[in-house]
Amino acid sequence: MGIEPADSARPGAFAARRMLPLAALVAAIIAAFAFHLDRYLSFEQLAAHREWLLAAVDRLGILAAFLFVLAYAMVTGLSLPGAAVLTMTSGFLFGTLAGTIIAVCGATLGATLVFLIARTAFGDVLRARAGPFICKLEAGFRANAFNYLLVLRLVPLFPFFVVNLVPAFLGVRLPTFVFATFVGIIPGGIVYASLGSGLGAVIERGERPDLGIIFQPHVFGPLVALALLALVPVAYKHFRRSKARQGSRE
């Protein structure tokens, strides 16, 4: 009598639930920028509060490392600018090795949360509506997802949040995304954490660290070389396929 069966409402309700994490993330991002939380992610703030931060790490011990990972994940999830400063801060507070591990774990956790939210909200819908070209692009990317993601992480030419979203839309598997992200950001993490480990002396001299150090030739060159090395297996696959096609024609 004009009343739809309960089953007919389920797809809409399910779709709405899928959008809830995305809505919460977008609201959090808007709030973060509205309250200018990104202003705290600067060298000036680090220099001004360095004594308090060092005392907090001494007081909290291992808990400080876990809290820093969560804070880094939050900053990454909210797409706030300041990853270089955060990694440098990690090196300043925990040393180069521990600081790199802590920063990489935090960045990977935050990136994974964004990836999962984007995949849940849009991944299946976009793939269902994709045309032949997008389907072909998706298949090509997924076939070598780890290598392509590794290149995108090693060479920071694209915004970090973009590299979190694109794999979600292209159907990359979660373990592949996590492992490629973790491994790919280690070299950059080492650069900034090592810069942060000597930050005390820089602050005492009244100087500023070079946050663009990763784009200097002696740093950027090896990163590009690693990225090219990551593409070798992909090139080899294409070479073998082309040879196989030529052999079948003969």
Side-chain angles (χ1 to χ4, degrees):
M1 301 293 291
I3 300 177
E4 295 183 358
D7 290 346
S8 65
R10 286 177 184 173
F14 179 68
R17 285 198 299 270
R18 287 169 59 130
M19 296 298 291
L20 282 177
L22 177 65
L25 178 61
V26 171
I29 292 173
I30 293 173
F33 280 98
F35 288 101
H36 304 288
L37 297 184
D38 54 308
R39 71 177 183 270
Y40 296 107
L41 302 173
S42 67
F43 170 71
E44 288 76 17
Q45 291 293 327
L46 172 58
H49 299 93
R50 66 186 186 280
E51 298 297 337
W52 182 87
L53 289 169
L54 288 170
V57 170
D58 287 338
R59 184 174 66 255
L60 297 174
I62 190 67
L63 180 59
F66 286 106
L67 292 175
F68 197 95
V69 168
L70 293 177
Y72 204 126
M74 182 182 70
V75 169
T76 303
L78 296 177
S79 302
L80 295 174
V85 173
L86 265 184
T87 306
M88 191 172 60
T89 303
S90 186
F92 173 67
L93 296 176
F94 304 102
T96 300
L97 178 58
T100 299
I101 295 171
I102 290 168
V104 168
C105 287
T108 302
L109 177 59
T112 301
L113 291 174
V114 173
F115 169 83
L116 289 173
I117 290 173
R119 189 177 70 171
T120 300
F122 294 122
D124 293 339
V125 175
L126 291 178
R127 286 197 299 276
R129 298 181 179 180
F133 173 76
I134 298 299
C135 290
K136 185 177 180 180
L137 176 65
E138 177 187 349
F141 192 92
R142 289 179 65 180
N144 302 284
F146 177 79
N147 301 86
Y148 289 144
L149 264 174
L150 198 58
V151 171
L152 292 172
R153 294 304 192 190
L154 284 168
V155 185
L157 295 179
F158 300 97
F160 196 77
F161 76 92
V162 172
V163 185
N164 296 337
L165 295 175
V166 172
F169 300 152
L170 295 179
V172 173
R173 294 173 62 247
L174 177 62
T176 301
F177 177 85
V178 172
F179 189 50
T181 297
F182 184 86
V183 174
I185 62 179
I186 287 176
I190 293 173
V191 171
Y192 283 111
S194 62
L195 183 65
S197 66
L199 200 58
V202 174
I203 295 174
E204 293 299 329
R205 292 195 301 267
E207 299 174 356
R208 289 179 58 87
D210 181 11
L211 296 181
I213 187 174
I214 202 166
F215 293 107
Q216 292 185 7
H218 68 281
V219 176
F220 195 68
L223 292 179
V224 172
L226 286 173
L228 292 175
L229 188 63
L231 288 176
V232 168
V234 179
Y236 180 66
K237 282 184 184 179
H238 284 295
F239 174 75
R240 286 190 62 183
R241 278 200 294 267
S242 63
K243 291 288 287 184
R245 282 195 294 267
Q246 290 177 2
S248 63
R249 290 170 187 166
E250 295 174 358

Coordinates of all heavy atoms in Angstrom, one line a residue, residues 140-141 143-148 151 228-241:
G140 N 46.6 -1.5 -15.6 CA 48.0 -1.3 -15.7 C 48.7 -0.9 -14.4 O 49.8 -1.4 -14.1
F141 N 48.0 -0.1 -13.7 CA 48.5 0.4 -12.4 C 48.6 -0.7 -11.4 O 49.5 -0.9 -10.7 CB 47.7 1.6 -11.9 CG 48.4 2.3 -10.8 CD1 49.2 3.4 -11.0 CD2 48.2 1.9 -9.4 CE1 49.8 4.1 -9.9 CE2 48.8 2.6 -8.4 CZ 49.6 3.6 -8.6
A143 N 48.7 -3.9 -11.9 CA 49.6 -5.0 -12.2 C 51.0 -4.7 -11.7 O 51.8 -5.6 -11.4 CB 49.7 -5.1 -13.7
N144 N 51.4 -3.4 -11.5 CA 52.7 -3.0 -11.0 C 52.5 -2.0 -9.9 O 53.3 -1.1 -9.8 CB 53.6 -2.5 -12.1 CG 53.8 -3.4 -13.2 OD1 54.5 -4.4 -13.1 ND2 53.1 -3.2 -14.3
A145 N 51.5 -2.2 -9.0 CA 51.1 -1.2 -8.1 C 52.2 -0.9 -7.1 O 52.5 0.3 -6.8 CB 49.9 -1.6 -7.3
F146 N 52.9 -1.9 -6.6 CA 54.0 -1.6 -5.6 C 55.1 -0.8 -6.2 O 55.5 0.2 -5.6 CB 54.6 -2.9 -5.1 CG 55.7 -2.8 -4.2 CD1 55.5 -2.4 -2.8 CD2 57.0 -2.9 -4.6 CE1 56.5 -2.3 -1.9 CE2 58.1 -2.7 -3.7 CZ 57.8 -2.4 -2.4
N147 N 55.5 -1.1 -7.4 CA 56.6 -0.3 -8.1 C 56.2 1.1 -8.3 O 57.0 2.1 -8.1 CB 57.0 -1.0 -9.3 CG 57.5 -2.4 -9.1 OD1 56.7 -3.3 -9.1 ND2 58.8 -2.6 -8.9
Y148 N 55.0 1.3 -8.9 CA 54.5 2.7 -9.2 C 54.4 3.5 -7.9 O 54.8 4.7 -7.9 CB 53.2 2.6 -10.0 CG 53.3 2.1 -11.4 CD1 52.3 1.4 -12.0 CD2 54.5 2.4 -12.1 CE1 52.4 0.9 -13.3 CE2 54.6 2.0 -13.5 CZ 53.6 1.2 -14.0 OH 53.7 0.8 -15.3
V151 N 57.7 4.6 -6.5 CA 58.3 5.7 -7.3 C 57.6 7.0 -6.8 O 58.3 8.0 -6.5 CB 58.1 5.6 -8.8 CG1 58.4 6.8 -9.5 CG2 58.9 4.4 -9.3
L228 N 64.1 5.1 -10.3 CA 64.4 4.4 -11.6 C 64.6 2.9 -11.3 O 64.2 2.1 -12.1 CB 65.6 5.1 -12.3 CG 65.3 6.5 -12.8 CD1 66.6 7.1 -13.4 CD2 64.2 6.5 -13.8
L229 N 65.4 2.6 -10.2 CA 65.6 1.2 -9.9 C 64.3 0.5 -9.6 O 64.2 -0.7 -10.0 CB 66.5 1.2 -8.7 CG 67.1 -0.2 -8.3 CD1 68.0 -0.8 -9.4 CD2 67.9 -0.1 -7.0
A230 N 63.4 1.2 -9.0 CA 62.1 0.6 -8.7 C 61.3 0.3 -10.0 O 60.4 -0.6 -10.0 CB 61.3 1.5 -7.8
L231 N 61.6 1.0 -11.1 CA 60.9 0.8 -12.3 C 61.5 -0.3 -13.2 O 60.9 -0.7 -14.2 CB 60.8 2.1 -13.1 CG 59.9 3.2 -12.6 CD1 60.0 4.4 -13.4 CD2 58.5 2.7 -12.5
V232 N 62.7 -0.8 -12.8 CA 63.4 -1.8 -13.6 C 62.5 -3.1 -13.7 O 62.4 -3.6 -14.9 CB 64.7 -2.2 -13.0 CG1 65.3 -3.4 -13.6 CG2 65.7 -1.0 -13.2
P233 N 61.9 -3.6 -12.7 CA 61.0 -4.8 -12.8 C 59.9 -4.5 -13.8 O 59.5 -5.4 -14.5 CB 60.5 -5.1 -11.4 CG 61.5 -4.5 -10.5 CD 62.0 -3.3 -11.2
V234 N 59.3 -3.3 -13.8 CA 58.2 -3.0 -14.7 C 58.7 -3.0 -16.1 O 58.0 -3.6 -17.0 CB 57.6 -1.6 -14.3 CG1 56.5 -1.3 -15.3 CG2 57.1 -1.6 -12.9
A235 N 59.8 -2.4 -16.4 CA 60.4 -2.4 -17.7 C 60.7 -3.8 -18.2 O 60.5 -4.2 -19.4 CB 61.7 -1.5 -17.8
Y236 N 61.2 -4.6 -17.3 CA 61.5 -6.0 -17.7 C 60.3 -6.8 -18.0 O 60.3 -7.6 -19.0 CB 62.3 -6.7 -16.5 CG 62.7 -8.1 -16.8 CD1 63.6 -8.4 -17.7 CD2 62.1 -9.2 -16.1 CE1 64.0 -9.7 -18.0 CE2 62.4 -10.5 -16.3 CZ 63.4 -10.8 -17.3 OH 63.7 -12.1 -17.6
K237 N 59.2 -6.6 -17.3 CA 57.9 -7.2 -17.6 C 57.5 -6.9 -19.0 O 57.0 -7.7 -19.8 CB 56.8 -6.9 -16.6 CG 56.9 -7.6 -15.3 CD 55.7 -7.2 -14.4 CE 55.8 -7.8 -13.0 NZ 54.7 -7.4 -12.2
H238 N 57.5 -5.5 -19.3 CA 57.1 -5.1 -20.6 C 58.0 -5.7 -21.7 O 57.5 -6.1 -22.8 CB 57.1 -3.6 -20.7 CG 56.0 -2.9 -20.0 ND1 54.7 -3.0 -20.4 CD2 56.0 -2.1 -18.9 CE1 53.9 -2.3 -19.6 NE2 54.7 -1.7 -18.7
F239 N 59.3 -5.8 -21.4 CA 60.2 -6.3 -22.4 C 59.9 -7.8 -22.7 O 59.9 -8.2 -23.9 CB 61.7 -6.2 -21.9 CG 62.7 -6.9 -22.7 CD1 63.1 -6.3 -23.9 CD2 63.3 -8.1 -22.3 CE1 64.0 -6.9 -24.7 CE2 64.2 -8.7 -23.1 CZ 64.6 -8.1 -24.3
R240 N 59.6 -8.6 -21.6 CA 59.3 -10.0 -21.8 C 58.0 -10.2 -22.6 O 57.9 -11.1 -23.4 CB 59.2 -10.7 -20.5 CG 60.5 -10.9 -19.8 CD 60.4 -11.8 -18.6 NE 59.9 -13.1 -18.9 CZ 59.6 -14.1 -18.1 NH1 59.8 -13.8 -16.8 NH2 59.2 -15.2 -18.5
R241 N 57.0 -9.3 -22.3 CA 55.7 -9.4 -23.0 C 55.9 -9.1 -24.5 O 55.3 -9.8 -25.4 CB 54.7 -8.5 -22.4 CG 54.0 -9.1 -21.1 CD 52.7 -8.4 -20.8 NE 52.9 -7.0 -20.5 CZ 53.1 -6.6 -19.2 NH1 53.0 -7.5 -18.2 NH2 53.3 -5.3 -18.9

